[in-house]
Amino acid sequence: MSASLNAATTTATADPACVEPARVEPLQVLGRDVTVPLVTGGEVTYAALDYAASAPALQRVWEDVAAYAPYYGSVHRGAGYLSQLSTDLFEQSRATVAEFLDCRPTDQVVFTRSTTDSLNLLGQVLPADCQVFVFETEHHASLLPWRDARVTYLNAPRTPAQAVATLERALADREPYGPALVCVTGASNVTGELWPVKELAAAAHAHGARIVLDAAQLAPHHPVSVQELDVDWVAFSGHKLYAPFGSGVLAGRADWLQEAEPYLAGGGASRKVARREDGGVDVEWHTTAARHEAGSPNVIGVYSIASACRALTEAGFDSLVAREQHLIAKVREGLAEVPAVRVLSLFGDDAPRVGVISFVVDGWNSSHFAAALSAEYGIGVRDGLFCAHPLVRTLLGSAPQEPGECGAPEAEPGERSLNAIRVSFGAGTPDEHVERFVGAVRELVAQGAQWTYRTEEGRCVPAV
């Protein structure tokens, strides 16, 4: 138990260019042997290619969680052995995450429910008159939490350099020239393209602003160093980091967190509560991360994140990145051979990216195409606007106000719909899954679906 938690993490030293991807095995994940029925008859091993929505649990994470579960106890408030053990594990998990992110010694690691929760927390601790700057290309988790601030939405850039220049102009021209926060993704959840985070952080700091990195799509694929990137905060979710047990992280500078009212009021966040003579209560809040962790924490969720951090570090990001680039090349080269397919991109074909690729197929409703991949080939992808409506609309060339949903729009199979198809993969994806996907795309485009489909409650489903 504790030996696993305290095991020293290793630092990846291999040069990705020297790694032979074919020799790097995928990490073991739960569900790798699950079979699903096909509408055309028979069963096939499920190809999970929706990692950008939620990645499967690493086998290592599952085993660590199962080993700890009998020892579960409420943290920070129990004298019993299991409570003390759980408290130690909880706080050691905090240290593991701080090391994984290469945090500064003075940074705080706050455990939340998800990236969305983390950014909403940060939105609640902004200083008075703080302005927020965010590109329209962001996931809704980054676009929407700033309800009490003045928000400037920046147009989608078409190059990394344009992103930096756009931000610099907006920050320089802000009125009044007061506190400001920039929120930016590390890797797009639509295109997979990497954003120039370090350069954007430098631009923000040069203009007296702070920056928070949405690393939900970056952390599962690449190492994230708070110090090297020089970001003020980083947010990510366990369920995208192969630890789908309901926890997330906000890590970074402590001052705004310490100066604000607690995100939630209650036990755990309060250090001391006393009655006043007038009948009210006086509360002294914690100044540590506990200030924003009211209630009984999700110890298992937190421990699973720490386990995933250790597993990815020990596997070596150089090897993981090299193998993922091998899979990306297979998918992109396969799709490029199908003229009817258009891959969506902001920065162009040569932009560095993670294993997230969105596309549309001429003559196909994207929901229909995704349904056929699932029902006829046992392949799970995602269709829709991916909770990044403005970005997908921009990439599809539609009017900004054209209606659409996160899921499938109300369009019958064969009708044009304002949505796309997204295939995403990662450390647990075997070559066969992406090879089957590329082959299925070719067949569907060339031969059409073998089954008929209908729209039911907003989803395209096989007509049984």
Side-chain angles (χ1 to χ4, degrees):
M1 259 294 308
S2 59
S4 173
L5 186 68
N6 290 321
T9 57
T10 58
T11 302
T13 56
D15 181 351
C18 297
V19 176
E20 193 171 338
R23 294 192 174 185
V24 179
E25 293 294 322
L27 299 186
Q28 296 296 296
V29 295
L30 291 185
R32 60 188 178 275
D33 298 323
V34 168
T35 61
V36 294
L38 302 179
V39 292
T40 51
E43 293 188 342
V44 67
T45 303
Y46 184 65
L49 296 178
D50 195 15
Y51 276 46
S54 196
L58 285 175
Q59 184 70 36
R60 158 78 174 275
V61 171
W62 178 254
E63 291 171 355
D64 281 352
V65 166
Y68 163 64
Y71 298 90
Y72 170 79
S74 183
V75 302
H76 297 150
R77 54 187 64 117
Y81 177 81
L82 297 190
S83 289
Q84 293 182 37
L85 182 147
S86 295
T87 298
D88 288 345
L89 181 143
F90 186 79
E91 295 304 331
Q92 288 175 36
S93 295
R94 200 188 303 276
T96 298
V97 171
E99 183 177 3
F100 179 74
L101 296 173
D102 189 28
C103 289
R104 297 166 288 257
T106 56
D107 284 342
Q108 287 188 350
V109 173
V110 181
F111 290 117
T112 64
R113 295 175 295 176
S114 61
T115 305
T116 300
D117 197 34
S118 295
L119 295 175
N120 272 270
L121 189 167
L122 190 60
Q124 294 300 305
V125 305
L126 300 179
D129 301 320
C130 184
Q131 298 181 56
V132 176
F133 295 81
V134 57
F135 287 93
E136 68 172 352
T137 49
E138 295 292 321
H139 187 282
H140 295 171
S142 298
L143 277 176
L144 304 180
W146 323 108
R147 289 171 289 183
D148 297 325
R150 186 171 137 205
V151 185
T152 298
Y153 296 102
L154 307 174
N155 291 335
R158 286 299 181 169
T159 66
Q162 187 182 28
V164 176
T166 298
L167 179 64
E168 286 183 326
R169 285 194 300 272
L171 290 173
D173 294 343
R174 73 184 187 271
E175 291 288 347
Y177 197 87
L181 176 71
V182 177
C183 182
V184 67
T185 187
S188 170
N189 78 302
V190 176
T191 68
E193 292 163 314
L194 299 180
W195 276 63
V197 176
K198 188 172 184 177
E199 292 79 4
L200 291 167
H205 294 152
H207 292 280
R210 293 191 178 188
I211 185 168
V212 56
L213 168 63
D214 173 356
Q217 300 295 341
L218 183 64
H221 303 273
H222 282 265
V224 175
S225 170
V226 168
Q227 297 191 69
E228 182 180 339
L229 296 174
D230 197 23
V231 294
D232 298 285
W233 293 276
V234 59
F236 70 88
S237 297
H239 74 97
K240 298 189 194 300
L241 195 79
Y242 310 100
F245 294 91
S247 285
V249 169
L250 177 67
R253 300 197 183 278
D255 54 351
W256 286 9
L257 295 169
Q258 292 173 337
E259 293 163 7
E261 289 294 302
Y263 183 44
L264 298 174
S270 55
R271 184 174 178 274
K272 184 169 60 177
V273 180
R275 289 293 300 274
R276 296 194 304 262
E277 289 186 3
D278 64 4
V281 294
D282 286 321
V283 184
E284 179 181 335
W285 303 106
H286 281 294
T287 57
T288 62
R291 184 184 190 89
H292 298 290
E293 295 176 343
S296 294
N298 180 359
V299 184
I300 287 178
V302 165
Y303 181 47
S304 71
I305 289 179
S307 173
C309 290
R310 290 194 304 276
L312 293 173
T313 302
E314 292 167 10
F317 269 107
D318 287 342
S319 296
L320 297 175
V321 169
R323 186 170 187 284
E324 185 173 309
Q325 293 304 309
H326 163 71
L327 296 178
I328 291 171
K330 277 195 171 191
V331 173
R332 288 180 61 82
E333 289 167 8
L335 293 179
E337 295 174 355
V338 184
V341 170
R342 177 166 70 93
V343 174
L344 305 183
S345 176
L346 269 177
F347 300 152
D349 289 343
D350 296 331
R353 65 192 70 235
V354 299
V356 179
I357 300 169
S358 296
F359 62 99
V360 291
V361 183
D362 290 344
W364 282 81
N365 171 304
S366 293
S367 178
H368 184 197
F369 200 90
L373 285 173
S374 175
E376 299 178 26
Y377 297 91
I379 298 170
V381 297
R382 183 155 295 240
D383 65 281
L385 299 178
F386 318 124
C387 291
H389 293 192
L391 172 56
V392 178
R393 288 175 176 139
T394 294
L395 295 175
L396 293 179
S398 64
Q401 303 303 321
E402 194 169 342
E405 302 176 11
C406 266
E410 294 290 346
E412 294 297 325
E415 293 181 1
R416 181 183 180 276
S417 59
L418 181 65
N419 65 342
I421 306 150
R422 184 181 70 191
V423 56
S424 54
F425 40 88
T429 305
D431 284 49
E432 189 276 329
H433 287 186
V434 299
E435 291 164 358
R436 193 196 319 170
F437 165 76
V438 170
V441 171
R442 288 197 192 105
E443 283 191 11
L444 284 171
V445 172
Q447 304 172 17
Q450 300 179 55
W451 208 259
T452 57
Y453 295 80
R454 59 187 173 84
T455 298
E456 182 178 290
E457 296 181 355
R459 298 296 308 169
C460 191
V461 298
V464 179

